[in-house]
Amino acid sequence: MNQRRLKQRIGPRALTRTLAWLRICAIAGQSVAVLVCALWMQLAIPLLPLLVGIGMLAVFAVFAAWRLSQPWPVREWETVLHVAADTLVLGYLLYFTGGASNPFVTLLLVPIALSAAALSVPAILEVAALAGVAYVVLLLWYVPLPVPIQHHATAGFSLHVAGMGVNFVITALLLGFFINRLARAVRLQQLEVQRARERALRDEGILAIATQAAGAAHELNTPLSTMRTLLPELRREHAGDTALGEDLQLLEDQVERCRTILREMVAFGKAQLSQEPEQLSLAAFIHSCLERFQLLRPEAELTVQLDGDAARTVLRTPPGLRHALLNLLNNAVDASALNQSQAVSLSAHREGGWLELVVGDHGPGFAATGELAVIGESHKQTGLGLGLALAEATAERLNGELTANNTLDGAEMHLRLPLAVIAARTEE
């Protein structure tokens, strides 16, 4: 959805929206100019035909505003028709005010400049040809612009020079403002394309790792089953050796833990294929995560703070969210260990339409680069360095975000997820 909106920013719809705002400015400026010339400067201009032309432009502006409010996309040919309507009305007004001798005739170039930033080459040529035909017609057929009778012979030249100055200011402001908007949209799209490319490369790497993990899980099942069968027999054969018995018991526990992890991997894959997330309260979800975390890291000193409203929130727990939270907690323990601490914290609260999970540590924190990219750069000295990348990928898949910030005691990871995506329908 974001990429589609960014594409529309610099396409025909963007130019049509820009023309709509420019049309409103033109209606106001033309109305003021006509009234000033007719009432204040006492020029004998055809007031009624000019007001009729401005009125037609106002009616078209209302139609254009309605069109932009509709959901269907704006095609390039439709944008060219909008430009044609503006050009015809401007040519109509210039016909009654001196034609090509009117200093405001250069406003015919504004649609060409704007089209060059948003349309294809054929469309730009069509707009340029339309403006060129309008200019040639105004060279041959027009109503001469009258000169104030009460002034001397140079009044016409002075009026033309003044009009050129006003036209220069208007053109500079219009081109500077609207082309800057289009150029900014281009820069935003380039940044989004770069982020999409980086996400694609990251997801490709994660997919490769997942493929290798699936193969490894399948291959590990056989040796684990063999060890699970042999270890109890070894314990019975060496029942008199207490120290060896304790070691064998530890090995048996570790083998069982590995089998549990493999079963969870299979269950996770089935949940991904079925697309049926489990429904449970946030309190139950946090409790299940903490049970697993305490088995993984029994040395951790975990502090949990759960907001009452958030605890009662029923979640459609998507596959991967539990692993994302466990990865954040595991990274927090490793970070705290760098400062000879085992303390970590977990808090959860609701903020508007968002659920925020905050994991804090007592480690050295992140490098002060100010870039979000530091999320992918773990400050651990061990491990594969994938925990934060996987958590960030999960957050993006759920239309959420993962951010990091340093605190006085260490660092915090903020996992923000929209309730519209993860909450049960009774909570939406």
Side-chain angles (χ1 to χ4, degrees):
M1 184 66 69
N2 291 336
Q3 294 181 4
R4 189 179 302 117
R5 285 201 300 266
L6 284 167
K7 289 180 180 179
Q8 292 175 351
R9 284 177 180 169
I10 62 171
R13 189 177 187 87
L15 179 57
T16 305
R17 188 183 300 110
T18 299
L19 289 174
W21 285 106
L22 185 59
R23 197 173 295 118
I24 295 175
C25 298
I27 293 172
Q30 291 165 359
S31 301
V32 171
V34 168
L35 294 178
V36 167
C37 291
L39 303 179
W40 182 61
M41 301 181 65
Q42 299 295 318
L43 294 179
I45 57 176
L47 183 60
L48 182 59
L50 293 175
L51 293 180
V52 169
I54 297 174
M56 290 189 299
L57 186 62
V59 171
F60 184 75
V62 174
F63 166 77
W66 170 84
R67 173 63 186 87
L68 287 171
S69 65
Q70 302 307 306
W72 56 82
V74 177
R75 304 298 181 184
E76 191 171 65
W77 61 266
E78 191 176 354
T79 303
V80 174
L81 289 180
H82 282 236
V83 174
D86 293 330
T87 303
L88 289 175
V89 172
L90 179 59
Y92 172 85
L93 297 177
L94 291 172
Y95 169 79
F96 287 103
T97 54
S101 63
N102 190 313
F104 291 97
V105 73
T106 55
L107 290 177
L108 292 171
L109 298 174
V110 174
I112 302 175
L114 296 177
S115 301
L119 300 182
S120 63
V121 173
I124 297 171
L125 294 178
E126 292 174 3
V127 172
L130 184 62
V133 170
Y135 185 81
V136 171
V137 170
L138 292 173
L139 278 174
L140 302 176
W141 297 280
Y142 61 91
V143 176
L145 187 65
V147 180
I149 302 176
Q150 64 271 25
H151 294 292
H152 50 78
T154 60
F157 179 75
S158 300
L159 182 63
H160 185 81
V161 172
M164 290 176 61
V166 174
N167 176 57
F168 176 83
V169 173
I170 293 175
T171 304
L173 292 176
L174 291 178
L175 293 179
F177 177 73
F178 288 106
I179 291 182
N180 177 71
R181 289 184 60 184
L182 291 173
R184 183 174 57 183
V186 172
R187 291 193 296 269
L188 288 175
Q189 189 196 36
Q190 291 175 344
L191 290 176
E192 181 61 24
V193 169
Q194 181 179 356
R195 294 192 191 101
R197 186 181 298 112
E198 293 174 354
R199 285 195 296 267
L201 291 174
R202 184 201 60 198
D203 293 343
E204 183 179 351
I206 292 175
L207 179 60
I209 295 171
T211 304
Q212 294 292 332
H218 179 72
E219 295 177 4
L220 285 173
N221 189 54
T222 299
L224 286 175
S225 299
T226 303
M227 287 187 287
R228 186 169 180 266
T229 303
L230 293 177
L231 285 172
E233 296 180 3
L234 290 174
R235 287 179 58 195
R236 286 192 296 270
E237 292 178 2
H238 301 83
D241 193 336
T242 305
L244 181 59
E246 293 177 354
D247 292 339
L248 292 174
Q249 178 64 46
L250 178 60
L251 286 175
E252 190 174 353
D253 293 340
Q254 294 298 316
V255 168
E256 190 61 33
R257 175 183 168 188
C258 291
R259 286 174 54 82
T260 301
I261 293 174
L262 291 180
R263 286 194 296 268
E264 289 183 356
M265 290 176 63
V266 173
F268 173 74
K270 291 181 179 179
Q272 286 279 49
L273 293 175
S274 64
Q275 296 295 320
E276 295 180 358
E278 57 179 333
Q279 292 195 17
L280 69 167
S281 67
L282 178 63
F285 170 73
I286 295 293
H287 179 71
S288 64
C289 290
L290 296 185
E291 284 185 339
R292 171 71 185 279
F293 176 68
Q294 289 172 353
L295 290 175
L296 293 174
R297 306 300 294 267
E299 76 279 8
E301 301 173 2
L302 180 62
T303 302
V304 180
Q305 183 179 0
L306 190 59
D307 182 76
D309 292 336
R312 293 186 294 271
T313 302
V314 179
L315 304 179
R316 298 193 304 267
T317 308
L321 181 57
R322 179 177 285 104
H323 292 276
L325 182 57
L326 289 173
N327 284 330
L328 294 179
L329 290 170
N330 191 52
N331 276 275
V333 175
D334 291 334
S336 295
L338 296 178
N339 283 346
Q340 289 74 46
S341 173
Q342 302 296 335
V344 293
S345 63
L346 171 63
S347 64
H349 63 275
R350 292 180 58 164
E351 182 179 341
W354 294 81
L355 172 67
E356 185 169 13
L357 302 173
V358 182
V359 177
D361 61 56
H362 291 261
F366 290 93
T369 60
E371 295 291 334
L372 198 60
V374 299
I375 290 180
E377 299 174 3
S378 176
H379 43 200
K380 299 187 302 179
Q381 301 299 322
T382 60
L384 298 176
L386 296 174
L388 294 179
L390 293 172
E392 187 180 13
T394 300
E396 290 184 358
R397 189 172 64 252
L398 299 176
N399 296 332
E401 60 181 3
L402 180 66
T403 58
N405 66 275
N406 292 327
T407 64
L408 295 177
D409 298 325
E412 287 183 346
M413 301 299 301
H414 295 254
L415 178 60
R416 299 184 74 245
L417 302 171
L419 291 172
V421 175
I422 65 170
R425 298 191 182 279
T426 55
E427 292 288 332
E428 292 177 355

